[in-house]
Amino acid sequence: ETGVTQTPRHLVMGMTNKKSLKCEQHLGHNAMYWYKQSAKKPLELMFVYNFKEQTENNSVPSRFSPECPNSSHLFLHLHTLQPEDSALYLCASSHGRVAGNEKLFFGSGTQLSVL
Amino acid sequence: QKEVEQDPGPLSVPEGAIVSLNCTYSNSAFQYFMWYRQYSRKGPELLMYTYSSGNKEDGRFTAQVDKSSKYISLFIRDSQPSDSATYLCAMNGSGNTGKLIFGQGTTLQVKP
């Protein structure tokens, strides 16, 4: 397995469900990211982890809860989501997190539908 | 005003055409400029990475940055059906967070 792997690829959940998205990178990188991609909108940065420490939370609602147990794994725990949270959730990694000019390597994303 | 503006298209061209994709931006502090390509049902992949003004060429792809006009371009020569994808421009943001700012993406279709 190489690159950045995300599971599941597709997820349908009700507003009262709790689910988790998983991301794993095999690139030896130290920084990992969660992005949200909605139709006809730019990518939105949600969270950044650098060396397992959360360094950024871009005003994301608390119904999204990230977890980074080590530099290779990243989770996004979801609970009581809203229909407007339906989107493609992308995980990315980079060698480090310095000043916003990092080269990002993305996974294929989890397409989330909230009913 | 959005920090980065990108026409979403779609842009449809015949195979072999020269394609020009563009982004404008408002923040003169941006220094690093990138183009990502995203195929359907895939994540974005880095295509070109440039610093400050000037041109950078890689095979059929040329990235151009004009900081005086706050305008960046990606040219694709001899376009192929396999170039059909969404192209996202991205540039580094201002302030201490240095957040990467993405454009909306332009969808390109190259017809055989």
Side-chain angles (χ1 to χ4, degrees):
Chain A
E1 193 75 61
T2 59
V4 181
T5 304
Q6 288 188 246
T7 55
R9 291 296 309 274
H10 303 274
L11 179 62
V12 179
M13 59 187 290
M15 292 169 60
T16 58
N17 291 158
K18 289 185 180 181
K19 296 287 184 182
S20 295
L21 310 184
K22 179 183 176 182
C23 177
E24 183 174 1
Q25 59 96 0
H26 306 270
L27 300 168
H29 288 166
N30 297 309
M32 296 189 77
Y33 310 71
W34 280 116
Y35 278 88
K36 176 183 179 182
Q37 187 174 36
S38 303
K40 303 189 187 306
K41 288 187 176 180
L43 284 173
E44 300 174 48
L45 179 63
M46 300 176 71
F47 302 103
V48 182
Y49 278 82
N50 198 26
F51 291 94
K52 303 189 299 177
E53 299 297 320
Q54 184 175 319
T55 58
E56 290 179 49
N57 175 340
N58 284 284
S59 303
V60 180
S62 59
R63 56 186 184 269
F64 295 91
S65 175
E67 179 189 0
C68 188
N70 55 60
S71 293
S72 298
H73 294 85
L74 185 64
F75 296 89
L76 188 62
H77 304 299
L78 316 171
H79 64 97
T80 58
L81 294 191
Q82 305 298 310
E84 60 265 29
D85 296 323
S86 299
L88 181 67
Y89 288 84
L90 291 161
C91 173
S93 69
S94 67
H95 183 70
R97 173 65 173 168
V98 180
N101 58 6
E102 296 77 26
K103 298 177 181 179
L104 298 176
F105 292 78
F106 286 89
S108 294
T110 294
Q111 186 65 55
L112 173 67
S113 297
V114 181
L115 305 178
Chain B
Q1 182 186 8
K2 294 179 184 176
E3 281 194 281
V4 178
E5 297 272 5
Q6 185 176 10
D7 185 341
L11 178 63
S12 183
V13 301
E15 183 176 354
I18 296 175
V19 176
S20 173
L21 304 168
N22 312 293
C23 288
T24 59
Y25 62 95
S26 58
N27 191 335
S28 57
F30 288 168
Q31 294 179 297
Y32 294 89
F33 304 91
M34 303 161 206
W35 286 95
Y36 283 82
R37 177 176 62 194
Q38 185 174 18
Y39 290 115
S40 180
R41 289 182 287 278
K42 294 286 189 181
E45 59 176 327
L46 183 63
L47 195 58
M48 299 288 280
Y49 182 102
T50 56
Y51 172 72
S52 194
S53 284
N55 292 358
K56 182 174 182 179
E57 188 173 321
D58 184 1
R60 296 184 295 110
F61 298 88
T62 299
Q64 200 171 73
V65 175
D66 181 350
K67 291 192 72 179
S68 62
S69 301
K70 298 191 183 71
Y71 189 88
I72 69 170
S73 300
L74 177 70
F75 298 98
I76 307 174
R77 291 185 300 280
D78 187 24
S79 56
Q80 303 295 309
S82 58
D83 295 327
S84 298
T86 297
Y87 291 80
L88 311 170
C89 65
M91 48 202 80
N92 79 316
S94 58
N96 294 331
T97 62
K99 188 169 66 175
L100 196 61
I101 307 296
F102 282 85
Q104 186 177 349
T106 299
T107 298
L108 171 67
Q109 184 180 23
V110 181
K111 295 185 176 179

